[in-house]
Amino acid sequence: MKPLIPLAFALLGATSLHASETVSVTMSQATESGSGTPLGTVTISQSAYGLVFTPELNGLEPGLHGFHVHVNASCDAAQVDGKLTPAGAAGGHWDPDNAGRHGFPWEDNAHLGDLPALYVSDDGSASQPVLAPRLKRLEELNGRALMIHAGADNHSDHPQPLGGGGARVACGVIKVSNATASI
């Protein structure tokens, strides 16, 4: 029997990628003084079905976590609604089409930065890839931030805004070396 992970990557087309079609994002704790302890990386890869986000992370709380692309390439703390917020300088969820609503990653009328929830195992590690079917090119993510929230994400604005994921606990800046422009 073949291992499931390599089979999953073959199905997503990840085995045919070139080095220029992946980017590694270093994720660190989000703190009131900026980026904290490094937690690992998330590799973003292009596939025929959308972008694949593959985490290799440790030191997170077990369970489901909101996972999003945010507007700005900064993980610095910033004042948000009069309160110092870890990774607040990253801004909100990336929404270039002005959908104005939080939703599932496959919904055309939701933020483009809404990703599937990140699963963290009981030992605090995350390694399960997620697929963002509406995101097609790495270059469009250049100059954005990748964010992990404290709680789960229900992919709705109800009963709490932005899926109810809560505080920003980890952040990384997305830098695509072959990007020609930030979209």
Side-chain angles (χ1 to χ4, degrees):
M1 184 170 166
K2 293 183 179 181
L4 292 178
I5 296 297
L7 177 59
F9 279 111
L11 290 174
L12 291 173
T15 57
S16 64
L17 294 173
H18 303 290
S20 64
E21 295 174 322
T22 65
V23 65
S24 182
V25 180
T26 299
M27 301 294 291
S28 298
Q29 286 180 329
T31 72
E32 289 185 356
S33 57
S35 292
T37 304
L39 300 171
T41 61
V42 175
T43 301
I44 308 171
S45 307
Q46 290 182 185
S47 83
Y49 306 101
L51 295 182
V52 179
F53 293 73
T54 305
E56 289 299 329
L57 302 168
N58 289 292
L60 294 166
E61 288 293 319
L64 290 175
H65 294 268
F67 193 36
H68 309 100
V69 175
H70 282 241
V71 175
N72 303 317
S74 178
C75 293
D76 292 339
Q79 293 287 329
V80 177
D81 297 327
K83 181 181 174 191
L84 186 61
T85 301
H93 297 181
W94 183 46
D95 186 19
D97 300 326
N98 295 312
R101 68 176 282 279
H102 184 63
F104 289 100
W106 54 85
E107 291 181 312
D108 288 336
N109 61 345
H111 301 144
L112 201 53
D114 293 341
L115 302 176
L118 180 72
Y119 173 74
V120 177
S121 64
D122 288 342
D123 67 359
S125 67
S127 60
Q128 182 66 42
V130 299
L131 174 68
R134 292 173 52 216
L135 298 176
K136 303 295 184 189
R137 295 181 0 258
L138 285 171
E139 291 79 11
E140 62 190 344
L141 299 185
N142 189 49
R144 310 273 173 233
L146 189 58
M147 192 74 63
I148 300 170
H149 293 267
D153 184 345
N154 71 0
H155 299 285
S156 172
D157 282 324
H158 301 284
Q160 295 181 355
L162 302 174
R168 299 164 183 213
V169 297
C171 182
V173 173
I174 303 169
K175 297 176 189 170
V176 180
S177 62
N178 63 341
T180 56
S182 182
I183 296 173

